[in-house]
Amino acid sequence: MLVIRPSQMHAFQGAAETGLLEAFAERVREFWPHSAQALGPERLRTRIQAAAALARRHGIHARTDVLRVVNAAMALDDDFTPAPRLDWVVPLLENASLHPSDRVARLSSRVLEHLQGVEP
């Protein structure tokens, strides 16, 4: 019988998380090349980690939805860290009355409105 100890499982999860974050970084470098270059590898990694962590804290776990939150962070040039300059982001993601994918869809719409200078 194969037994996986908690420490081994933790190592597997860490490796999977690292792989996922690197996949996100590749997508960001593909679609946001100038921003990714301006941030540099370390700040880009920090931004992706912060956006992914924010998504997960609000029950958003689907890979595509987490990537959409990362995309929003890139579009808005914000890390969504403790004092976000865009105070409407977190409340959108906290709306527990909506399915996580619906919250992300609303975030994406609101980001587009923000970038176009439209106020809801």
Side-chain angles (χ1 to χ4, degrees), residues 5-59:
R5 293 187 303 267
S7 61
Q8 292 170 312
M9 190 56 129
H10 183 70
F12 290 142
Q13 289 170 338
E17 179 72 13
T18 299
L20 183 62
L21 293 174
E22 184 52 41
F24 288 169
E26 287 176 25
R27 294 293 297 252
V28 167
R29 286 189 292 271
E30 179 182 352
F31 291 99
W32 299 95
H34 301 293
S35 298
Q37 186 174 13
L39 286 169
E42 188 60 37
R43 287 180 48 215
L44 177 62
R45 186 177 310 110
T46 299
R47 176 161 300 164
I48 292 169
Q49 288 173 330
L54 176 69
R56 292 192 178 112
R57 277 194 310 275
H58 292 93

Side-chain angles (χ1 to χ4, degrees), residues 93-111:
L93 297 177
E94 287 178 336
N95 187 347
S97 68
L98 296 174
H99 186 276
S101 291
D102 294 332
R103 285 183 260 153
V104 174
R106 285 194 182 183
L107 173 65
S108 296
S109 293
R110 182 63 181 92
V111 167

